């Protein structure tokens, strides 16, 4: 009965999904149909009225007069088209290009880079206004102050009112930003005011004392002086970079203005316009040349993070959602339908799932048991593989060390390298022994118990740590009472435990960069017939949290530690029939006690 109900629920769910998918496909078809119409796309232009958007930094009248010769040459050479100028601001050109209201654009290279990438403008020609006839070195920016101003460096303008054209004005702001940054000035430290067009207003405010400095396009001061509007000797440039085309400049030179076509202009008309521009010669005419690379402008915008290809992710996402709103709408509907379907399925599952609750709980318990068994199996297999593989390099190290020692004994019996070779062999044998212990533990075999004299054991354990003890200047003392005291245990396991404890103390000293002591004492307890080995230091001891769970695996106070030293030490002690206790002593340090049965051969302790 339960199965029939669940089958019916899922069948209804499939029908619901089919409806959602059908709606999505219908929406996709409508979106594609509407996008193919593209009602806002301007019709192709090859003649008739042709509108040229012109950037007018000094106002409409000045712009029309400046470009009159260019417009007249186009009208005479291309009779099928009537060229109409339209003077615009920075925002006006950007809006007109975005909406396709103009056919050609005449602007500075900075705005061309900002508009060329997103709107696929075609670059036809570059202006040659520089007296040196170089289109590559024509535009720049200058930071002007009054001649009688007390400022000698740009740093003195911090907190002062500085006027500029616009945040995206090429010569009127952007070109000067790298120079300000190289001088250690953040634009936010200036009291910046953007006045917009016409640019003349900036110089007038500077003249009248309403501003302390003005960021102007190069040669704007000289043009206004030639028109009798200002006296050039009343101003001077800060951060001077020489003269650009005979004009004061504070920046390097950049390419001149650009004449570009929008993508809806026919290739024939664009080619005719480019040909006319390049053929313009003679006195009183504007000179044009072949397009000059705007790579330096693009690099500047990359550095300023203004390049259109670096558009912020949120802006690109918003633009994409707005452009493909049909897909967005149906994606939201699909997501909403999926959520409703999910809620409905959840309700059905909750209604019918109570009958299977006990079975699911039992199944989960079996799964946990199986996972635990698999984990133990994998751990055992991994440990056995490591033990098998590590034995081979250890055996090779031991054989090489033994071979080297024998060769030195024959060729140089008094060589100081004999002792290191012997040590290498002993340590390799010790490593093999530790691996063998691990294999015994994996096979659950008891370790080999023998009589272990403590004097030799402690001497060897201390000798292993001697280089590090000497480097850290730690006082390491050990004492065995009586001198012939021995325990019943496994020597290799005891060496490993003592080595771990000494290393832990040295790690504590090294972490705190302190100098102290480590003391190891071994005493016999006649009543219990056992030996207690105490390892103490003055490195600060254990905190209360560590003492509450001293043998918690994978819990280490060192960033590079694994937290397994004490866990392994307790396991090794338990396998020998011994025990380990963790604590602190009253002198400000840790004290670890190892208890093992005393050797029965010690009749007179």
């Amino acid at each position: 009965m339960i199965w029939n109900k669940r089958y019916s629920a899922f069948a209804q769910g499939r029908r619901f999904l089919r409806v959602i998918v059908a709606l999505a496909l219908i929406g996709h078809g409508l979106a594609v149909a509407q996008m193919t119409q593209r009602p806002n796309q301007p019709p192709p232009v090859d003649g008739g009225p042709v509108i040229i958007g012109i950037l007018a930094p000094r106002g409409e009248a000045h712009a029309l007069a400046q470009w009159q010769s260019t417009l007249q040459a186009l009208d005479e050479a291309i009779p099928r088209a009537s060229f109409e100028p339209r003077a615009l601001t920075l925002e006006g050109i950007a809006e007109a290009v975005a909406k396709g209201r103009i056919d050609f654009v005449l602007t500075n290279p900075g705005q061309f880079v900002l508009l060329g990438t997103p709107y696929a403008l075609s670059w036809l020609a570059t202006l040659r206004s520089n007296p040196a006839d170089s289109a590559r070195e024509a535009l720049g920016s200058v930071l002007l102050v009054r001649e009688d101003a007390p400022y000698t460096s740009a740093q003195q303008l911090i907190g002062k009112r500085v006027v500029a054209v616009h945040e995206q004005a090429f010569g009127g702001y952007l070109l000067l930003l790298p120079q300000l940054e190289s001088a250690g000035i953040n634009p936010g430290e200036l009291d910046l005011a953007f006045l917009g067009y016409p640019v003349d207003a900036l110089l007038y405010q500077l003249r009248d004392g309403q501003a302390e400095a003005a960021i102007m396009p190069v040669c704007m001061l000289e043009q206004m002086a030639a028109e009798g509007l200002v006296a050039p000797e009343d101003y001077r440039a800060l951060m001077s970079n020489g003269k650009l085309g005979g004009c004061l400049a504070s920046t390097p030179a950049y390419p001149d203005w650009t004449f570009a076509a929008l993508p809806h202009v026919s290739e024939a008309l664009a080619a005719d316009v480019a040909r006319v521009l390049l053929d313009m010669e003679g006195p009183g005419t504007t000179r044009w040349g072949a397009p000059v690379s705007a790579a330096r402008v693009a690099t500047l915008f990359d550095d300023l993070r203004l390049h259109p290809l670096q558009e912020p992710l949120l802006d690109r996402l918003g633009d994409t959602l707005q452009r493909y709103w049909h897909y967005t709408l149906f994606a939201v509907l699909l997501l909403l339908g999926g959520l409703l379907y999910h809620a409905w399925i959840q309700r059905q599952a909750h209604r019918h799932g109570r009958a299977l609750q006990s079975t699911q709980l039992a199944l989960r318990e079996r799964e946990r048991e199986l996972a635990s068994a698999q984990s133990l199996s994998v751990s055992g297999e991994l440990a056995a593989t490591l033990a098998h593989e590590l034995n081979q390099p250890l055996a090779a190290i031991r054989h090489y060390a033994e071979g080297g020692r024998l060769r030195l004994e024959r060729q140089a019996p008094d060589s100081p390298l004999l002792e290191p070779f012997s040590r290498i062999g002993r340590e390799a044998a010790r490593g093999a022994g530790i691996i063998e212990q691990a294999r015994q533990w994996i096979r659950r075999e008891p370790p080999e118990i023998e009589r272990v004299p403590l004097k030799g054991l402690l001497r060897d354990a201390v000798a292993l740590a001697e280089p590090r003890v000497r480097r850290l200047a730690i006082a390491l003392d050990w004492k065995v009472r009586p001198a012939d005291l021995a325990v019943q245990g496994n020597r290799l396991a005891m060496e490993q435990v003592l080595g771990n404890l000494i290393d832990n103390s040295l790690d504590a000293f090294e972490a705190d960069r302190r100098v102290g002591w480590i003391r190891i004492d071994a005493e016999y307890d006649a009543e219990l017939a056992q030996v207690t080995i105490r390892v103490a230091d003055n490195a600060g001891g254990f905190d209360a949290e560590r003492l509450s769970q001293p043998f918690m695996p994978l819990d280490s106070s060192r960033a590079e530690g694994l937290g397994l030293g004490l866990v392994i030490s307790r396991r090794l002690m338990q396998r020998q029939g011994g025990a380990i206790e963790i604590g602190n002593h009253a002198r400000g340090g840790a004290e670890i006690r190892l208890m093992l049965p005393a050797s029965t051969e010690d009749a007179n302790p």
Side-chain angles (χ1 to χ4, degrees):
M1 183 66 180
I2 294 176
W3 169 254
N4 290 336
K5 290 181 179 180
R6 293 181 64 194
Y7 179 80
S8 174
F10 281 111
Q12 294 176 19
R14 285 197 299 271
R15 288 195 292 270
F16 181 72
L17 280 179
R18 290 194 190 100
V19 173
I20 293 295
V21 171
L23 289 175
L25 291 176
I26 293 172
H28 172 75
L30 291 175
V32 171
Q34 185 167 355
M35 289 177 62
T36 54
Q37 297 176 5
R38 300 184 65 86
N40 294 328
Q41 180 69 31
V45 173
D46 188 54
V50 175
I51 300 175
I52 301 178
I54 302 175
L55 183 64
R58 298 189 61 189
E60 180 178 0
H62 189 280
L64 296 179
Q66 180 182 3
W67 303 108
Q68 180 61 38
S69 61
T70 300
L71 297 172
Q72 184 176 352
L74 291 174
D75 279 329
E76 293 175 355
I78 309 175
R80 73 177 185 277
S82 173
F83 294 91
E84 302 176 6
R86 184 169 298 173
L88 299 169
T89 62
L90 286 168
E91 296 93 339
I93 284 188
E95 182 182 3
V97 169
K99 296 183 178 180
R101 294 175 179 171
I102 57 179
D103 306 306
F104 292 89
V105 62
L106 206 170
T107 185
N108 62 55
Q111 194 176 34
F112 171 76
V113 170
L114 292 176
L115 299 176
T117 300
Y119 300 108
L121 301 184
S122 299
W123 197 349
L124 303 182
T126 299
L127 182 66
R128 294 181 177 274
S129 63
N130 192 320
D133 200 29
S134 172
R136 292 184 176 87
E137 297 184 357
L139 299 185
S141 184
V142 60
L143 180 61
L144 291 175
V145 296
R146 292 184 300 277
E147 177 62 33
D148 58 354
Y151 309 117
T152 58
S153 67
Q155 285 83 355
Q156 295 173 307
L157 294 174
I158 292 177
K160 307 295 183 182
R161 177 178 169 84
V162 179
V163 292
V165 178
H166 190 275
E167 291 181 346
Q168 290 189 349
F170 189 58
Y173 180 62
L174 295 178
L175 288 184
L176 196 68
L177 285 183
Q179 307 304 117
L180 292 175
E181 291 178 0
S182 9
I185 302 174
N186 186 335
E189 297 174 327
L190 305 176
D191 183 13
L192 275 171
F194 296 103
L195 306 184
Y197 292 153
V199 181
D200 306 38
L202 277 69
L203 209 54
Y204 294 150
Q205 286 216 2
L206 179 60
R207 179 194 63 186
D208 298 339
Q210 299 178 18
E212 298 301 317
I215 302 174
M216 302 278 292
V218 161
C219 292
M220 195 63 65
L221 169 66
E222 288 74 11
Q223 290 178 16
M224 293 177 64
E227 296 169 5
L229 300 177
V230 294
E233 62 272 10
D234 292 342
Y235 308 92
R236 57 186 170 87
L238 292 183
M239 305 171 63
S240 178
N241 194 48
K243 287 200 172 185
L244 176 58
C247 304
L248 295 177
S250 300
T251 67
Y254 285 83
D256 216 328
W257 278 44
T258 296
F259 203 113
L262 271 69
H264 62 266
V265 175
S266 70
E267 294 184 11
L269 180 58
D272 290 342
V273 170
R275 189 178 304 108
V276 172
L277 294 176
L278 297 177
D279 288 343
M280 288 179 63
E281 292 290 345
T285 61
T286 305
R287 293 173 301 167
W288 293 90
V292 175
S293 172
R296 292 183 57 212
V297 179
T299 301
L300 172 69
F301 282 6
D302 279 337
D303 295 339
L304 298 177
R305 298 184 180 179
L306 293 175
H307 199 283
L309 294 180
Q310 294 180 338
E311 184 181 4
L313 178 61
L314 291 179
D315 293 347
R316 282 185 289 171
L317 181 60
D319 181 66
T320 302
L321 292 178
Q322 184 177 6
R323 184 178 301 179
Y324 303 107
W325 65 271
H326 316 86
Y327 291 104
T328 304
L329 176 61
F330 281 98
V332 170
L333 291 176
L334 186 61
L335 178 61
L336 184 60
L339 291 175
L340 292 174
Y341 172 69
H342 175 72
W344 181 75
I345 288 294
Q346 288 285 72
R347 182 171 177 272
Q348 297 295 324
H350 180 71
R351 178 186 298 175
H352 303 295
R354 286 188 294 239
L356 303 174
Q357 185 174 5
S358 59
T359 304
Q360 291 175 348
L361 291 176
L363 178 59
R364 289 174 185 169
E365 183 65 26
R366 297 299 181 271
E367 288 176 349
R368 283 195 293 268
E369 293 175 358
L370 178 60
S372 178
Q374 288 176 342
S375 176
L376 289 175
S377 174
V378 171
S379 299
E381 183 178 351
L382 177 60
T385 302
L386 287 175
H388 175 72
E389 295 297 332
L390 288 176
N391 264 332
Q392 297 180 15
L394 284 175
I397 293 172
R398 186 175 181 184
H399 291 157
Y400 281 124
E402 183 67 19
R405 186 182 63 82
L406 292 175
R407 186 170 181 178
L408 280 176
E409 285 179 349
R410 291 194 303 268
Q411 297 179 358
D414 56 347
S415 173
L417 296 177
L418 286 173
E419 177 60 23
F421 271 117
S422 299
R423 276 199 171 189
I424 292 173
R426 289 196 299 270
E427 289 305 309
R430 180 168 171 267
I434 293 175
I435 291 175
E436 180 59 28
Q437 279 193 343
R439 297 177 68 176
Q440 290 177 357
W441 176 73
I442 293 170
R443 296 194 297 264
R444 289 177 168 74
E445 296 178 0
E448 180 181 351
I449 303 299
E450 57 185 339
R451 183 179 185 273
V452 182
L454 291 181
K455 187 174 182 180
L457 174 67
L458 294 181
R459 182 180 62 248
D460 292 344
V462 170
L464 289 174
E466 183 179 358
R468 193 176 177 197
V469 169
R470 188 183 305 110
R471 178 172 60 83
L472 297 175
I474 304 299
L476 175 55
D477 301 323
W478 59 276
K479 185 185 299 183
V480 177
R481 293 188 301 269
D484 59 349
L485 189 60
V487 296
Q488 287 295 113
N490 184 277
R491 181 181 177 86
L492 190 59
M494 287 303 300
E495 286 182 354
Q496 189 174 353
V497 171
L498 289 171
N500 282 339
L501 299 183
I502 294 173
D503 282 343
N504 285 346
S505 295
L506 294 176
D507 289 338
F509 283 120
E510 189 168 14
D512 293 341
R513 297 182 179 178
R514 66 169 73 182
V515 177
W517 49 263
I518 301 174
R519 293 175 184 169
I520 306 175
D521 296 316
E523 296 180 348
Y524 175 70
D525 188 337
E527 293 183 2
L528 300 177
Q530 74 175 17
V531 175
T532 300
I533 304 174
R534 292 181 174 84
V535 181
D537 60 43
N538 66 336
F542 298 100
D543 56 29
E545 183 179 358
R546 183 65 173 173
L547 287 176
S548 64
Q549 293 181 318
F551 302 106
M552 176 67 67
L554 304 178
D555 182 14
S556 175
S557 59
R558 295 183 292 117
E560 70 277 7
L562 294 177
L564 296 176
L566 292 177
V567 178
I568 294 174
S569 297
R570 182 175 68 163
R571 176 176 60 80
L572 292 174
M573 292 299 297
Q574 290 175 344
R575 295 189 69 218
Q576 300 174 81
I580 181 173
E581 295 179 355
I582 307 293
N584 292 326
H585 58 76
R587 289 171 290 176
E591 182 178 272
I592 301 176
R593 295 172 294 280
L594 307 175
M595 283 76 72
L596 279 171
S599 174
T600 56
E601 299 179 14
D602 294 325
N604 186 17

